[in-house]
Amino acid sequence: MRKQILQLGLALAMGVGCISQAFSQVKPEILVEQRPAGMVMMAKYMYSIVPMAMGRVPYDAATVTRNVGYLEVLSKMPWDGFTPATADVKNTKALPAIYADPAKFKAAQDNFQAELAKLIAATKGGNEAAIKTAIVDANTKGCNGCHNDFRAKQQ
Amino acid sequence: MRKQILQLGLALAMGVGCISQAFSQVKPEILVEQRPAGMVMMAKYMYSIVPMAMGRVPYDAATVTRNVGYLEVLSKMPWDGFTPATADVKNTKALPAIYADPAKFKAAQDNFQAELAKLIAATKGGNEAAIKTAIVDANTKGCNGCHNDFRAKQQ
């Protein structure tokens, strides 16, 4: 207890709240805050190219290449936040199925990564029609393949 | 008006809210949601290595290299969200100074990028002491150099 107070005091004295993470594992509430941040960033770069793939806005190859490059990196970030310790944290769209069937959740992640890998490969290939197909697939099969079973429906 | 209703109906029929972004510029409220998401992700990877640089948790070179690589990409993402159109959106820590003095805000971004570039270079150099110094500088001079003037203080 005394040690905890000392640690808390030091963290407060430093005026850097996140430093307190250093004293222990990252708190479940912080993980639950970080997870949707990663998803929002993936959405930012996915949903600005999906309309291009669907012909609803002009196709811009430079934007697609940039966004897919960002998505390649962003896609690695959210998963370490879905720990069992977060199962009881409120204020999340993550469904209990994530913790009840972790193998199925992992398979959905892997499926997303596989669809994204196809998109990355298509982007490097440079064929616009193939890229457009891969963008739509990455969204409908990749993103939604996970959201359908593991994320609460949008209100 | 009729066109707007058709567009809205199509967006709703598709069940994909973000598709509606395709019909126009991204709404200021969406930009304001995306900005802190990018900041949270930078914090995730910065604040897990700052304690290593300060000797508060064991130094792990692989984690530092990975995180700095992530930060290099993440650092490019938040800035396009600080448009003048977002100046009147509530529920943000972004201060009016961002829009009142955009040149100073841009200089603060550039300073952050410069500090991060030093950290990236140090990481590639592989000297642990130099990396630790660069991590602390990237946080105190880089991150905080922008936060001090342009972000509301934590409550």
Side-chain angles (χ1 to χ4, degrees):
Chain A
M1 183 65 179
R2 176 175 162 76
K3 189 179 173 192
Q4 285 178 326
I5 292 172
L6 281 173
Q7 287 174 344
L8 179 63
L10 180 59
L12 291 173
M14 295 177 68
V16 183
C18 290
I19 294 294
S20 59
Q21 292 179 31
F23 297 119
S24 61
Q25 293 294 311
V26 180
K27 290 181 182 174
E29 292 76 12
I30 299 290
L31 294 174
V32 170
E33 183 188 345
Q34 290 169 339
R35 291 186 323 211
M39 298 295 174
V40 165
M41 295 311 285
M42 285 200 281
K44 176 179 180 181
Y45 294 105
M46 177 63 81
Y47 292 132
S48 55
I49 61 175
V50 167
M52 293 183 193
M54 300 175 78
R56 300 191 187 286
V57 297
Y59 185 84
D60 178 64
T63 298
V64 169
T65 299
R66 184 200 67 172
N67 285 19
V68 171
Y70 285 175
L71 287 166
E72 183 173 8
V73 181
L74 288 168
S75 69
K76 300 170 183 172
M77 298 183 184
W79 316 115
D80 61 0
F82 291 95
T83 67
T86 64
D88 296 326
V89 179
K90 307 298 181 192
N91 196 25
T92 174
K93 286 181 181 164
L95 292 176
I98 290 170
Y99 314 103
D101 194 345
K104 187 178 176 188
F105 182 54
K106 180 65 168 59
Q109 291 172 36
D110 291 346
N111 174 65
F112 163 66
Q113 300 280 14
E115 291 295 338
L116 188 61
K118 290 182 199 169
L119 173 54
I120 293 162
T123 307
K124 288 175 180 167
N127 181 301
E128 186 177 315
I131 294 169
K132 287 179 172 176
T133 299
I135 291 171
V136 172
D137 284 351
N139 183 37
T140 57
K141 300 179 186 174
C143 301
N144 295 343
C146 208
H147 293 165
N148 289 342
D149 292 327
F150 298 106
R151 187 182 70 167
K153 297 284 177 288
Q154 302 277 353
Q155 298 303 314
Chain B
M1 183 65 180
R2 177 174 162 75
K3 189 179 171 193
Q4 286 178 327
I5 292 172
L6 282 171
Q7 289 174 342
L8 179 62
L10 179 59
L12 291 173
M14 295 179 69
V16 184
C18 290
I19 294 293
S20 60
Q21 292 179 29
F23 297 119
S24 62
Q25 294 294 310
V26 180
K27 290 179 182 174
E29 291 77 11
I30 299 290
L31 293 175
V32 170
E33 183 188 344
Q34 291 169 339
R35 290 184 327 210
M39 298 295 174
V40 165
M41 295 310 286
M42 284 198 283
K44 176 179 180 181
Y45 295 105
M46 177 62 82
Y47 291 130
S48 55
I49 60 175
V50 167
M52 293 183 192
M54 299 175 77
R56 301 191 187 284
V57 297
Y59 186 82
D60 179 65
T63 298
V64 169
T65 299
R66 185 201 67 170
N67 285 20
V68 172
Y70 285 175
L71 287 166
E72 183 173 9
V73 181
L74 287 168
S75 69
K76 299 170 183 171
M77 298 183 183
W79 315 115
D80 60 1
F82 292 94
T83 67
T86 65
D88 295 327
V89 179
K90 306 298 181 190
N91 196 25
T92 175
K93 288 181 181 162
L95 292 175
I98 290 170
Y99 314 103
D101 194 345
K104 187 177 176 188
F105 182 53
K106 180 65 168 59
Q109 291 172 37
D110 291 346
N111 174 65
F112 163 67
Q113 301 280 13
E115 292 296 338
L116 188 60
K118 289 182 201 169
L119 172 55
I120 293 163
T123 307
K124 288 175 181 167
N127 181 301
E128 186 177 315
I131 295 169
K132 286 179 173 177
T133 299
I135 290 171
V136 172
D137 284 352
N139 183 38
T140 55
K141 300 179 185 173
C143 300
N144 296 343
C146 208
H147 292 165
N148 289 342
D149 291 327
F150 299 105
R151 186 181 72 166
K153 298 286 178 287
Q154 302 279 353
Q155 297 301 315

